[in-house]
Amino acid sequence: MRGSRIYMLFLGVFLVLVFLLEYMSPHKFVWRPTYDGKDREPFGSYVFDDVVSSSIDGYTVSDKTFYRIVHEDSTSSPRAFLITENAFSFHDTDIEYLYKLLHAGNQVMICTEYISSNLEDTLHFETGYDAFLPPINRYISENKRRDSIFFGRDTLNPECIYEVYPQMHPVHIIAGKHDYRTETLVWNGKNEPLAVRIFIGKGELFLVSTPLMFTNYGILDGNNASYAFRLLSCMKDKPLVRIEAYGDHSGKAGTPLRYVLSEPPLRWAVYSILTLLALFMVFTARRRQRIIPVVKTPPNRTLGFMQLISNLYYRKHDNGEMLKMKHLYFCDEVKRLTGVDLREHVPGENAFMRLSEKSGMEMAFIRTLIRNINMAMYRHEASDLQLKHYIDGMNDILHALKS
């Protein structure tokens, strides 16, 4: 009994010291874009929501999709809707009800670095990537140069010029042939559009390729807060609703665990239960009898190594690293089968055309897949659905090349 008490006392002191060390250690910022209203990290939306709600009357955050908005709020007067995500996919139903909202006189602002492919086909707009850049926190720590972006009808006589890091505007908007009346609102230093207004029916659709400017960091970065407010002022005559129903928010909008963890009392109750369970397992795991060793046949070391690596990535849930490893294998196989090197430089149209000729697959599919994979590896993140889609796409290309 005395030994058990000493062990429990030592464990308690150890846990208290670990807690104090963690509590007093300097906070390390996480520079992963979430756009979540409860996230206080640089690329969350806690500060953004707080500042906008105190500046714009009637500002709210909703987890409703366009379909639910049309069916549940059909009697509401025209409103303005804001979506901020690095990348997300629209279903055909979402596009259908987006157009219903626009034709009814609503305004929708979509801030993203990647326009959904089916929305690209509908609007004849897409985003073009300027360069692959290192993480922004490295730029900030080294105090490297900033770029100029120009708010106004052109870059010669802009209404305002903002100095931002290149990572805040890595893409620009490319317009194809369309019948819409459009207006460019923001330009980069190369005279390429960063934000456009598209007039559809009685409403207006805004495409903005600088979503990071609508985050906590974007609001707090010097005088750049006015950038977001200048764009939002284009919809100032209507109540503003920020939608968290797409992108990374689409799979966790209504889970009970998310609500439990969002409330401090419930969250600490969960942590306390888990701690008690861990202590119970520690003190009841000791066997009363001596374990009889079992001699097993030597395991297959190669298979064990593969399982170890697989379990490591699975436990870390590092979809970005898994995608990188799969991409390396994919590039090696493509080079061996076709001679096209996808790793040495950014693939051009000739590479996509050669892969299309060799595999018999559509060049547009190959181009979109490889560009999306490169962008996902650049952001070092991918959702489970995106990872499955990318790996299935690479497998389909390799199967077509080998057949």
Side-chain angles (χ1 to χ4, degrees), residues 70-320:
V70 171
H71 283 277
E72 297 178 13
D73 307 332
S74 57
T75 59
S76 300
S77 57
R79 289 173 292 173
F81 299 95
L82 172 66
I83 299 177
T84 54
E85 289 287 346
N86 259 31
F88 61 90
S89 297
F90 271 158
H91 297 293
D92 293 338
T93 302
D94 296 316
I95 296 178
E96 176 186 350
Y97 283 90
L98 167 63
Y99 270 76
K100 287 186 178 181
L101 286 172
L102 293 172
H103 284 287
N106 295 277
Q107 294 173 301
V108 179
M109 181 175 290
I110 300 176
C111 304
T112 181
E113 294 180 4
Y114 166 74
I115 301 176
S116 179
S117 57
N118 50 359
L119 186 59
E120 283 184 357
D121 296 338
T122 304
L123 294 175
H124 302 288
F125 280 84
E126 62 179 328
T127 50
Y129 298 99
D130 295 326
F132 293 104
L133 301 167
I136 188 173
N137 53 325
R138 188 188 306 171
Y139 254 61
I140 293 174
S141 63
E142 297 176 0
N143 196 24
K144 290 193 175 182
R145 67 173 181 84
R146 290 175 176 247
D147 292 342
S148 297
I149 59 176
F150 305 85
F151 194 106
R153 296 181 181 274
D154 55 54
T155 58
L156 298 178
N157 300 293
E159 298 177 15
C160 189
I161 301 176
Y162 298 95
E163 301 297 325
V164 301
Y165 289 107
Q167 290 84 348
M168 304 294 285
H169 67 101
V171 301
H172 60 277
I173 297 174
I174 303 172
K177 294 183 179 179
H178 57 81
D179 298 327
Y180 304 111
R181 185 167 65 92
T182 63
E183 176 186 6
T184 301
L185 303 176
V186 183
W187 309 78
N188 63 15
K190 300 177 182 178
N191 243 18
E192 297 166 331
L194 298 180
V196 297
R197 186 205 311 251
I198 308 171
F199 298 90
I200 300 176
K202 299 178 181 179
E204 299 172 0
L205 175 65
F206 298 83
L207 296 181
V208 182
S209 64
T210 56
L212 294 181
M213 297 292 287
F214 291 77
T215 59
N216 300 333
Y217 179 82
I219 289 292
L220 299 176
D221 183 23
N223 298 322
N224 291 332
S226 63
Y227 174 86
F229 282 99
R230 279 178 179 269
L231 284 174
L232 294 178
S233 67
C234 299
M235 308 185 294
K236 62 182 179 181
D237 59 333
K238 297 180 178 65
L240 179 61
V241 181
R242 189 171 72 86
I243 297 177
E244 285 192 342
Y246 300 100
D248 292 338
H249 298 96
S250 59
K252 58 180 182 180
T255 58
L257 182 60
R258 186 187 181 203
Y259 173 76
V260 169
L261 295 179
S262 67
E263 299 294 329
L266 296 177
R267 183 170 64 248
W268 280 108
V270 171
Y271 293 160
S272 300
I273 293 173
L274 293 177
T275 302
L276 290 175
L277 287 175
L279 291 174
F280 176 79
M281 293 173 64
V282 168
F283 290 114
T284 59
R286 294 181 300 173
R287 287 180 175 266
R288 296 182 180 273
Q289 296 180 352
R290 190 174 180 180
I291 301 175
I292 301 175
V294 178
V295 179
K296 298 181 180 180
T297 57
N300 186 332
R301 298 298 181 185
T302 303
L303 180 60
F305 176 76
M306 294 174 61
Q307 291 175 340
L308 176 63
I309 297 301
S310 300
N311 288 334
L312 176 62
Y313 285 131
Y314 177 79
R315 291 179 183 276
K316 291 177 64 179
H317 202 77
D318 194 347
N319 289 350

Side-chain angles (χ1 to χ4, degrees), residues 320-334 342-343 347 369-370 373-374 377 391 394:
E321 190 65 20
M322 286 191 284
L323 179 60
K324 179 181 177 181
M325 301 302 293
K326 176 63 179 179
H327 181 258
L328 288 175
Y329 170 77
F330 171 74
C331 291
D332 289 339
E333 286 296 294
V334 168
L342 299 177
R343 286 193 297 171
L369 176 68
I370 293 178
I373 291 172
N374 286 335
M377 291 192 299
I391 291 178
M394 288 186 283

